[in-house]
Amino acid sequence: MHDSDSSQEKESGENRGSFTGKLGFVLAAAASAVGLGNLWRFPYLTSHYGGGAFLVVYVALAVTFGFTLLIAEVSLGRRTGKSCIDAFRDLSKKYSFIGWLLAIIPILIVPYYCVIGGWVLKYFVESATGNLETLATGGSGGDPYWWDYITGTATGSVLDPSIWFVIFAVMCIIIINLGVSRGIEKVSKILMPMLLVMLLIVTAFTFTLDGIGDGLAFYLVPKFEDLSYDTFLGAVSQIFYSMSLAMGIMITYGSYMKKDVNIEHSARNIGLIDTGVAFIAGLMIVPAAFCFGFQDSSGMGLMFNALPMVFHQMPMGEIVAPVFFLLVVFAALTSAMSLAETAVSIFKDRMHVSRPIAVGIVSAIILGLGLVCCLGFGPWMTNVPGDQGAGWLGIFDTLTNSILMPIAAILTCFFIGFVVKTALIEEEIEINGVFRSKKLFRVMIKYVCPLCLLAILISGMYGTFFA
Ligand code: PFF
């Protein structure tokens, strides 16, 4: 092995290095968890599914359902010291296919994640070069600018969004190829708190908007008549997305965790940071969007539609907007890298190819499928099953979040609850003291989680193939 290879191995943690301690683990996992899921996906789902009612369901599920799966994955990783495929194979050869299923998911998510990363990058550059007004008010024919942009109406083709996607993807590929994930981790320790401060500043400004009281009430006061089966399904799928669950990431991170770190405390902190950032992002976007009449209808464009309007009206918005979008780029990049890195290590370990070849394969997949997503808003716009108005990007989102992730998570729950048994996880957690949520964990992992997951799987399949 070349020297550079071995240093890359070290950088990516593949020498089974470990996080420096509890803080190192929690911050690294939080940097993977906090991403577009919190800043882009959570606010639009909250808006779409009735504001306060969705928020309450989400938080209740995060502390029960999300916490259970997070603890299970991290413990599985630390117990075996292996990443997802080998972790399952080590415990039972017969069930190693679950590891494979988990491994496919990040490979399908990274491409479309980079497409959205490209949009954020574009918004950063436009706002930094004095074009905030266009972003805020430049839409035509009643559509917001974002829609005109991604469908190519604004510029005549989808070339521009495709270029920004490629730039974002190449940034991600260069970084994982250099193996600087530890550098990025260090940087994320500085930029993550900055993101939080920016979120709070922008949120404070939105509180001064006219009519914000009604928006805040929409976000914070649950109207239980808004609760529906869909609210629940949306919340469960968002928990996977936001906490980076059911795709092998947390198993791999658990395998890098030292034996003297308390898994239960760490999982609680990761969940708290992730849910806290989502809550503040919602507080920043949902009430403001409500003021501008964006609730319900604008779906995945909510962040791109509402925020430029807020910045446009805000004193010093011309400065705040680019700084804010840059930090979102950063949050997206650290998460995209954790997804891409997981994909690279899978190809490397399982196909026994060198790291550069594995990076090459992952790059080709990202660029190929990502371009399909870009074209899916333009010439390839189509009403295929599961499209739901979001083109191929929406199909990849639904396929992973509503179908593959629930299947992988049901199998993981079954594996832990009935094959290796919960005692295996409990023992691992009890290495560092009492497992306080043991009873909750047992009931959740054996019965409640699989049932919730089955519900979202059935509805995801129905929505994709029959609706
Ligand atoms: N959890 C991160 C986010 O919320 O953006 C990264 C991520 C992981 C996104 C897994 C999507 C996903 F399916």
Side-chain angles (χ1 to χ4, degrees), residues 31-38 105 109 112-113 238 240-245 247 249 274 331-332 335-336 338-339 400-401 405:
S32 160
V34 172
L36 292 170
N38 309 60
I105 296 168
I109 290 177
Y112 87 77
Y113 202 83
Q238 175 59 15
F240 283 126
Y241 197 101
S242 194
M243 292 192 180
S244 300
L245 294 171
M247 63 196 74
I249 295 179
D274 188 64
S335 295
S338 75
L339 287 161
T400 47
N401 274 279
M405 281 149 83

Side-chain angles (χ1 to χ4, degrees), residues 38-346:
N38 309 60
L39 300 162
W40 161 77
R41 203 171 188 275
F42 177 79
Y44 88 70
L45 287 181
T46 310
S47 230
H48 183 73
Y49 288 120
F54 182 83
L55 183 65
V56 169
V57 175
Y58 181 83
V59 173
L61 286 171
V63 295
T64 50
F65 180 88
F67 175 68
T68 304
L69 288 178
L70 187 57
I71 242 186
E73 291 199 13
V74 172
S75 307
L76 214 53
R78 193 174 76 175
R79 173 82 191 198
T80 55
K82 304 272 167 64
S83 53
C84 66
I85 298 177
D86 289 335
F88 280 90
R89 212 187 17 203
D90 257 25
L91 294 170
S92 161
K93 262 219 161 88
K94 195 168 142 200
Y95 289 96
S96 59
F97 73 92
I98 305 176
W100 280 98
L101 185 59
L102 287 168
I104 293 169
I105 296 168
I107 299 171
L108 290 176
I109 290 177
V110 199
Y112 87 77
Y113 202 83
C114 289
V115 172
I116 304 161
W119 300 343
V120 183
L121 205 52
K122 159 85 177 177
Y123 270 55
F124 159 64
V125 172
E126 290 294 334
S127 56
T129 50
N131 294 329
L132 182 59
E133 190 167 354
T134 311
L135 303 180
T137 58
S140 62
D143 287 324
Y145 177 80
W146 166 79
W147 185 248
D148 283 357
Y149 174 65
I150 65 166
T151 53
T153 316
T155 52
S157 78
V158 291
L159 186 66
D160 198 76
S162 307
I163 290 174
W164 285 108
F165 148 67
V166 172
I167 295 174
F168 185 90
V170 168
M171 278 163 56
C172 176
I173 292 162
I174 290 175
I175 296 170
I176 53 165
N177 195 38
L178 288 174
V180 291
S181 53
R182 286 204 180 152
I184 281 287
E185 266 172 39
K186 278 190 195 129
V187 179
S188 67
K189 285 180 193 165
I190 304 165
L191 288 191
M192 275 295 154
M194 272 176 71
L195 175 65
L196 207 64
V197 172
M198 285 308 294
L199 283 177
L200 291 171
I201 293 175
V202 179
T203 306
F205 170 78
T206 63
F207 286 179
T208 65
L209 290 171
D210 278 346
I212 195 71
D214 291 343
L216 283 169
F218 172 73
Y219 182 55
L220 296 172
V221 182
K223 286 199 264 62
F224 288 104
E225 63 271 22
D226 286 346
L227 275 183
S228 69
Y229 186 56
D230 285 347
T231 315
F232 161 78
L233 300 178
V236 177
S237 86
Q238 175 59 15
I239 281 167
F240 283 126
Y241 197 101
S242 194
M243 292 192 180
S244 300
L245 294 171
M247 63 196 74
I249 295 179
M250 290 301 166
I251 299 182
T252 311
Y253 277 29
S255 74
Y256 300 147
M257 189 184 200
K258 283 187 176 165
K259 287 281 183 193
D260 58 359
V261 175
N262 187 307
I263 296 181
E264 194 178 12
H265 289 172
S266 306
R268 194 166 289 145
N269 287 339
I270 298 165
L272 218 68
I273 296 175
D274 188 64
T275 309
V277 173
F279 173 75
I280 300 171
L283 198 58
M284 172 183 72
I285 297 174
V286 178
F290 192 90
C291 290
F292 289 108
F294 277 127
Q295 81 279 10
D296 286 348
S297 56
S298 78
M300 60 164 62
L302 192 66
M303 176 172 118
F304 299 98
N305 298 330
L307 277 186
M309 292 202 174
V310 174
F311 291 131
H312 188 50
Q313 295 204 356
M314 160 177 193
M316 300 209 306
E318 315 271 293
I319 299 166
V320 177
V323 175
F324 176 81
F325 281 116
L326 185 63
L327 290 169
V328 181
V329 168
F330 186 79
L333 204 55
T334 51
S335 295
M337 282 169 29
S338 75
L339 287 161
E341 181 61 44
T342 312
V344 166
S345 66
I346 288 159

